[in-house]
């Protein structure tokens, strides 16, 4: 997530933010200021990894300035002054006292790889949330001329983000998020959806031979439970090569218990008696609506996973891939229905279970804060 900081912004504050990430960022920056040689031990970190513009500016300065001679750094603050000057070009709120505070609050500089892993994990969470936000926003963008293509493009981008995170945090078996799944969103055009589903059911009843041509349409694609049940009745009758008309469909519905919810038989007969258009046309409309709803639900699931601080990056990857698989399944059906072949996103190479982990280090004797003068 890129930063566009206000040069006059002071996002340091006198009281650290309540999120543990703030302390991890401070510890990491303090370690790098105390011993710039540790920069090579945190390869997965960039300025974008930090949550504040000031911390990002400091890391940029640390990364771009030539590292000082260790012996000289131990007795001179010259390099710290260079870092401060460079950092203030992006965040004027930085001060020399804050740099010294960062050094003092770092518990163990040699634990920099562990601090970096924490910062990187939270950055992955933010990236995943932002990609899921874009997917959900695209689903609800009524101005798009080709909504399905736009939504699938965002789904591909989200998949790429997940794969990139997985390369650093490979998912582990049995670590799906325990975050409650949000309920399905409401259909924005519920009245239109219900009317089109009624036309689909009536047209399929009048032309049962066309049902075979829309095998890609499933009951789960309907917005109304009664409509979904009636579609199952129609497909069952057609599959058994039995007569199909409003009365036979009504009888099948009664056998399946669809009228137990209070639906009137006469109402069902009226619903099935007014065909219009073609089964394929209404079927594609229903499937398109279902694809957008599936993408919306997948995006909101990933948003919920990202917002839950108890989920590790490993769980986020596993949960996001499970949600994206639902989009992949209906994407395949939509391609069969429309004849559109959209390119699948390239899968990033997955790291092995033990790849790219922060190296283990043995803690040295704890440095005395008062004596930690660079």
């Amino acid at each position: 997530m890129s930063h566009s900081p206000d040069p006059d912004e002071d996002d340091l504050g006198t009281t650290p933010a309540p999120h543990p990430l703030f302390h991890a960022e401070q510890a990491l920056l303090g370690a790098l200021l105390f011993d710039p040689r540790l920069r090579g031990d945190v390869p997965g970190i960039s300025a974008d990894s930090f949550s504040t513009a000031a911390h990002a500016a400091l890391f940029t300065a640390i990364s771009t300035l030539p590292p000082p001679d260790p012996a000289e750094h131990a007795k001179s603050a010259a390099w710290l002054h260079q870092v401060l000057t460079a950092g203030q070009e992006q965040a004027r709120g930085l001060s020399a006292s804050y740099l010294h505070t960062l050094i003092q609050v770092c518990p163990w500089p040699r634990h920099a790889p562990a601090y970096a892993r924490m910062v990187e994990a939270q950055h992955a969470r933010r990236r995943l949330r932002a990609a899921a936000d874009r997917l959900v926003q695209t689903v609800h963008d009524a101005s798009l001329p080709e909504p399905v293509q736009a939504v699938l493009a965002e789904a591909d981008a989200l998949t790429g983000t997940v794969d990139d995170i997985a390369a650093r945090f490979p998912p582990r078996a049995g670590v799906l998020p325990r975050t409650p799944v949000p309920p399905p969103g409401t259909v924005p055009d519920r009245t239109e959806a219900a009317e089109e589903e009624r036309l689909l059911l009536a047209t399929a009843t009048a032309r049962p031979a066309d049902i075979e041509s829309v095998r890609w349409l499933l009951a789960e694609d309907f917005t109304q439970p009664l409509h979904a049940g009636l579609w199952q009745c129609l497909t069952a009758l057609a599959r058994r090569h039995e007569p199909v008309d409003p009365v036979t469909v009504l009888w099948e519905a009664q056998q399946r218990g669809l009228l137990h919810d209070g639906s009137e038989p006469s109402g069902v007969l009226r619903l099935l008696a007014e065909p219009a258009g073609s089964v394929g046309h209404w079927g594609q409309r229903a499937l398109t609506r279902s694809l957008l709803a599936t993408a919306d639900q997948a995006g909101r699931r990933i948003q919920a996973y990202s917002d839950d601080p108890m989920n590790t990056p490993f769980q986020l990857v596993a949960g996001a891939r499970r949600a994206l698989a639902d989009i992949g399944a209906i994407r395949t059906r939509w391609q069969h229905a429309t004849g559109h072949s959209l390119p699948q996103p390239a899968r990033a190479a997955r790291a092995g279970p033990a790849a790219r982990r922060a190296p283990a280090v043995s803690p040295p004797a704890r440095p005395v804060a008062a004596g930690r003068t660079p």
Side-chain angles (χ1 to χ4, degrees), residues 101-369:
T101 296
L102 292 175
I103 296 173
Q104 296 299 320
V105 300
C106 176
W108 298 102
R110 290 186 62 190
H111 288 177
Y115 306 144
R117 194 67 166 167
M118 301 172 195
V119 173
E120 187 180 2
Q122 194 63 21
H123 181 222
R125 185 186 305 275
R126 293 197 304 271
R127 290 180 60 205
L128 188 62
R129 183 54 154 91
D133 288 347
R134 289 192 294 270
L135 174 61
V136 173
Q137 290 166 3
T138 304
V139 169
H140 295 280
D141 188 348
S143 67
L144 296 172
E146 299 289 346
V148 171
Q149 287 85 341
V151 165
L152 291 179
E154 288 297 341
D156 291 346
L158 177 53
T159 299
T161 299
V162 173
D163 286 345
D164 187 49
I165 295 172
R168 294 287 295 168
F169 299 92
R172 300 166 179 168
V175 290
L176 285 172
R178 296 196 177 109
T179 307
V181 176
T186 58
V187 179
D189 52 350
R190 180 171 292 276
T191 301
E192 180 183 12
E195 178 60 25
E196 290 183 356
E197 289 174 4
R198 286 193 291 268
L199 291 171
L200 168 60
L201 294 169
T203 307
T205 301
R207 304 183 183 91
D210 293 343
I211 294 176
E212 179 67 19
S213 66
V214 293
R215 295 179 62 183
W216 33 261
L217 187 67
L218 304 179
E220 65 195 48
D221 297 320
F222 289 77
T223 62
Q224 305 287 327
L226 175 62
H227 296 171
L230 291 175
W231 181 250
Q232 290 177 318
C233 295
L234 280 163
T235 55
L237 290 171
R239 185 173 59 251
R240 299 199 301 259
H241 303 289
E242 296 183 9
V244 176
D245 61 40
V247 173
T248 61
V249 175
L250 176 65
W251 183 255
E252 182 76 14
Q254 192 273 335
Q255 297 294 305
R256 291 172 175 260
L258 297 182
L259 306 183
H260 293 171
D261 63 354
S263 299
E264 292 291 338
S266 59
V268 174
L269 290 175
R270 287 194 301 272
L271 184 154
L272 299 173
E274 299 179 3
S278 69
V279 173
H281 171 75
W282 299 123
Q284 286 189 22
R285 293 279 295 176
L287 183 60
T288 296
R289 187 178 291 107
S290 179
L291 186 151
L292 296 177
T294 299
D296 177 62
Q297 178 67 2
R300 292 191 304 113
R301 281 172 61 186
I302 296 173
Q303 286 175 331
Y305 295 155
S306 302
D307 291 342
D308 187 346
M310 295 182 63
N311 288 327
T312 67
F314 311 102
Q315 290 175 303
L316 293 179
V317 168
R321 282 183 167 163
R322 179 71 62 89
L324 288 167
D326 294 340
I327 301 179
I330 195 169
R331 175 189 191 135
T332 300
R333 292 195 287 123
W334 187 83
Q335 290 174 340
H336 285 313
T338 62
H340 293 171
S341 180
L342 299 178
Q344 294 287 344
R347 307 290 292 187
R350 299 185 186 180
R356 310 280 299 192
R357 293 192 181 176
V361 294
S362 301
R366 182 186 176 97
V368 180

Side-chain angles (χ1 to χ4, degrees), residues 69-76 373-374:
D69 177 75
E72 182 66 22
H73 186 55
K75 60 183 181 181
S76 170
T373 303

Side-chain angles (χ1 to χ4, degrees), residues 29-36 38 73 79-80 103 109 367 371-374:
L29 291 170
L32 298 179
L33 291 170
F34 179 70
D35 187 354
L38 296 173
H73 186 55
W79 186 76
L80 290 181
I103 296 173
R372 195 183 299 169
T373 303

